[in-house]
Amino acid sequence: MIWDNLTTVQAEKINKELPVLILLCATEQHGPHLPLSTDRLIGEHFANELTRLIKDKFILLPVIPVGYSDHHMDFSGTLTFKHSTFKKIIREMTECMITHGFKNFLFLNSHGGNQGIGQVIIEELGNKHLDCRFNLVTWWKLATQDLKKLNQSGPGGTGHAGEFETSLMLFISPELVQNDKIDQPSDQKYNPLVGDMITSPIISHFQKIKKISKNGVVGNPFVSSTVKGENISKIITSKLVKLIENMN
């Protein structure tokens, strides 16, 4: 159920064991063909699908649209919080719900730059609130093997604004995708130290995107499609449904 839509009387009566879903999003450049809202729209899409399928099994909090995106600040349009600011906002919103009696939390992340600070947030909350449960999942890490089967671009192709994000946006909000602005993929050879959403075997620090890609795209958006976006949506949504049902 959507927290914003409740009255204070309704909020008081909710089962306090229901999982509370908090989206970790971003507002940042996604190359010349995708909107700044890409990460938020993808996260909200999954949340909306969950609401459609199991709306009475979880609580969706208001979205904080900005995350940690300092590595994208060389590109116009990007907004970012400092790590300390982002942590403070998410922690304090979570602790409001703890004050109201809720104890079961799922942070759903849709931006790579939020993964590190997201882990810090749940570790700090877990150490402070011992009677609560905190879980963090980044959507593309939820079904790696299934997503690999959809990958046509190979290692490096599912990076930032590449094959998967563009496909999802073609499915979610095709009117916001500027197909005529899709640029040639970077000619840089794949480097696992740079990272890849699906195939990278290691975790590395986030370099300034400008050093990796002149146009802000990391990967290959040319093999994107609406059908692929729909398949990604179905895979991730089904995984999230099972995850939330197991949290109840």
Side-chain angles (χ1 to χ4, degrees), residues 91-102:
R91 187 188 68 220
E92 291 187 1
M93 185 166 69
T94 303
E95 289 183 330
C96 287
M97 297 300 286
I98 294 172
T99 297
H100 292 315
F102 295 92

Side-chain angles (χ1 to χ4, degrees), residues 2-247:
I2 300 174
W3 190 251
D4 274 356
N5 292 347
L6 303 175
T7 67
T8 184
V9 175
Q10 291 172 321
E12 171 65 25
K13 295 179 180 179
I14 290 179
N15 176 6
K16 301 302 188 293
E17 293 299 318
L18 283 178
V20 176
L21 180 64
I22 300 173
L23 294 177
L24 305 184
C25 304
T27 298
E28 63 183 28
Q29 71 84 22
H30 275 76
H33 67 288
L34 294 181
L36 302 173
S37 57
T38 292
D39 288 339
R40 175 177 61 80
L41 291 176
I42 290 174
E44 288 181 333
H45 168 73
F46 292 131
N48 291 336
E49 285 296 285
L50 290 173
T51 299
R52 180 177 66 85
L53 295 169
I54 53 169
K55 64 179 180 179
D56 295 328
K57 294 187 178 181
F58 77 104
I59 298 161
L60 176 62
L61 289 195
V63 176
I64 304 298
V66 178
Y68 179 74
S69 301
D70 188 59
H71 46 301
H72 290 276
M73 282 300 294
D74 290 322
F75 293 91
S76 296
T78 299
L79 303 177
T80 188
F81 288 137
K82 295 179 180 178
H83 275 149
S84 57
T85 305
F86 184 65
K87 182 175 70 172
K88 182 177 178 64
I89 290 171
I90 299 301
R91 187 188 68 220
E92 291 187 1
M93 185 166 69
T94 303
E95 289 183 330
C96 287
M97 297 300 286
I98 294 172
T99 297
H100 292 315
F102 295 92
K103 301 178 181 296
N104 200 2
F105 296 88
L106 175 63
F107 298 91
L108 174 58
N109 178 40
S110 62
H111 167 54
N114 291 339
Q115 291 180 105
I117 189 60
Q119 184 67 36
V120 172
I121 290 169
I122 66 168
E123 288 182 6
E124 290 188 357
L125 284 169
N127 286 328
K128 181 178 179 181
H129 303 282
L130 300 180
D131 59 338
C132 296
R133 299 183 297 279
F134 304 97
N135 303 277
L136 169 67
V137 61
T138 298
W139 70 259
W140 60 86
K141 298 294 186 182
L142 192 59
T144 301
Q145 295 306 314
D146 291 325
L147 293 178
K148 279 183 178 180
K149 297 175 183 177
L150 300 178
N151 180 8
Q152 293 178 279
S153 55
T158 54
H160 183 73
E163 177 183 5
F164 282 6
E165 286 190 323
T166 303
S167 293
L168 276 169
M169 289 301 294
L170 285 169
F171 175 62
I172 296 168
S173 297
E175 73 282 0
L176 296 180
V177 180
Q178 299 190 39
N179 292 289
D180 61 327
K181 297 294 195 301
I182 293 179
D183 204 353
Q184 291 291 332
S186 170
D187 59 2
Q188 177 178 337
K189 293 182 179 179
Y190 172 64
N191 180 354
L193 295 177
V194 172
D196 182 284
M197 287 174 67
I198 306 301
T199 60
S200 180
I202 64 174
I203 297 174
S204 182
H205 77 284
F206 279 84
Q207 298 183 25
K208 289 286 186 180
I209 298 299
K210 195 77 170 182
K211 293 178 64 176
I212 303 170
S213 169
K214 292 181 180 179
N215 67 356
V217 175
V218 181
N220 184 359
F222 281 101
V223 290
S224 306
S225 71
T226 303
V227 171
K228 187 178 296 181
E230 183 177 10
N231 288 333
I232 295 170
S233 175
K234 289 178 179 178
I235 289 169
I236 300 302
T237 299
S238 66
K239 295 287 187 180
L240 286 170
V241 166
K242 292 179 181 178
L243 178 59
I244 289 177
E245 287 180 339
N246 288 333
M247 291 177 65

